[in-house]
Amino acid sequence: MKRTVVSAVQFAIEPMNVEENLSRARRWITKCKEFSGADLVVLPESFTTGFTPIGGVEDLWKVVSTIPGPLTDIAVQWARELDMYICFPTYERGEVFPVIYNSAALVGPKGLLGVYRKTHPFPSERLEAGGWTTPGSESFSVETPIGNIGVVICYDGDFPELARVTALKGAEMICRPSAFLRTFDQWELTNRARAYDNHVYWIGTNSVGRDASGAYFFGCSMIVHPSGMKLSQAGGCDEFTYAELDPDPIKKIIPGSNRDQTFDHIQDRNTEAYTGILEEGKSVFEPARRIPFRRR
């Protein structure tokens, strides 16, 4: 990767009002570009409609589009005009109704680079549990002139295996667009841990404001160094946070230290210790309420 500036942009989202949300996103990424010179901007999860749709799957299907499609065409136009890369999260129409993916397209000045479909929908958003989304099945990392960019979405960040696979695919920075409604401690912990686990830069963008479910998002978008140290963090209002990324970040144990780093979490893996055990199992502690996940 090269030395680059990345940003997390957060703003309140108007449920199911795609036109208004696109307008807000464009205003904020323009402000961010002018102020920080950002090369990559990460927008909040499902920002085109908000996380919880108003109505049913049919209503959501009507206001979103396929990828590529009209929504990502707009994102590509922005990327070209602002000369930047954009992680553009939106619900995506699937091949047939009622398949809807919780997706994030990565676009740049030369067009659509790919799309990631959330592989771990939160239990309440799964179609099979009365929600509205269908899980994807593939991790995502793509090479760009500013570096290799991976994507996970919100609840995905709770799963170390997915972040590890994304890093093993070559990701140097991982975007985590989110609509995180749990606790700040869990948000910070998972962002910092996944960055540190895999020696990657981690850009976590969270929504702010009221969700259609009645819950409120707390923002606190952050950018984390591969050492696990936070480089920047937003508050709880409409704003952006940004940081410049060093292309050779793990020579020292933390930024600003004179202590050499002598370990590598990727190279030092002993895969014999966990071969054959990763596919099955559940927590030894049973949750109070459980929505099972059915593998396809």
Side-chain angles (χ1 to χ4, degrees), residues 53-271:
I54 296 174
V57 177
E58 298 87 353
D59 299 282
L60 185 58
W61 178 273
K62 291 175 183 176
V63 299
V64 297
S65 63
T66 57
I67 298 178
L71 292 176
T72 52
D73 288 348
I74 291 170
V76 170
Q77 181 182 345
W78 294 351
R80 287 174 176 159
E81 291 174 354
L82 297 171
D83 189 27
M84 61 164 42
Y85 293 86
I86 303 171
C87 181
F88 185 95
T90 179
Y91 288 121
E92 172 196 4
R93 282 189 196 171
E95 301 82 359
V96 295
F97 182 83
V99 175
I100 295 174
Y101 299 108
N102 187 338
S103 300
L106 185 67
V107 302
K110 294 186 178 180
L112 176 66
L113 300 174
V115 59
Y116 170 73
R117 294 166 170 171
K118 189 176 185 180
T119 53
H120 300 84
F122 201 69
S124 58
E125 74 173 289
R126 298 174 193 154
L127 182 65
E128 65 186 45
W132 53 92
T133 63
T134 297
S137 58
E138 296 184 10
S139 56
F140 177 88
S141 178
V142 65
E143 184 177 351
T144 78
I146 64 171
N148 297 341
I149 302 172
V151 180
V152 302
I153 298 175
C154 201
Y155 189 45
D156 285 331
D158 283 26
F159 295 85
E161 302 91 342
L162 179 62
R164 175 55 53 85
V165 168
T166 305
L168 291 175
K169 281 189 168 182
E172 296 164 306
M173 55 190 105
I174 296 180
C175 309
R176 186 193 189 184
S178 300
F180 202 94
L181 283 167
R182 288 171 279 154
T183 71
F184 171 79
D185 285 350
Q186 291 172 336
W187 169 245
E188 180 188 44
L189 171 68
T190 51
N191 286 331
R192 295 180 68 181
R194 299 296 87 81
Y196 178 66
D197 290 345
N198 299 292
H199 302 312
V200 294
Y201 288 104
W202 189 271
I203 306 117
T205 301
N206 192 24
S207 294
V208 295
R210 186 178 185 275
D211 181 57
S213 67
Y216 283 82
F217 301 105
F218 54 79
C220 296
S221 299
M222 62 182 67
I223 299 166
V224 185
H225 185 271
S227 67
M229 188 178 84
K230 284 190 288 186
L231 295 175
S232 68
Q233 180 180 306
C237 61
D238 290 12
E239 61 180 307
F240 57 83
T241 187
Y242 68 96
E244 183 177 296
L245 309 188
D246 181 347
D248 196 11
I250 60 169
K251 293 296 187 191
K252 302 298 179 182
I253 199 158
I254 58 170
S257 171
N258 69 327
R259 294 175 59 199
D260 291 339
Q261 180 154 319
T262 58
F263 61 91
D264 184 323
H265 289 151
I266 302 297
Q267 185 176 344
D268 295 345
R269 290 172 301 133
N270 181 355
T271 57

Side-chain angles (χ1 to χ4, degrees), residues 11-28 47-49 78 238:
F11 52 89
I13 294 163
E14 184 70 28
M16 301 296 276
N17 191 338
V18 175
E19 185 175 351
E20 173 61 22
N21 294 326
L22 288 170
S23 177
R24 293 181 187 183
R26 176 57 197 256
R27 289 197 302 272
W28 275 102
F47 83 91
T48 56
T49 58
W78 294 351
D238 290 12

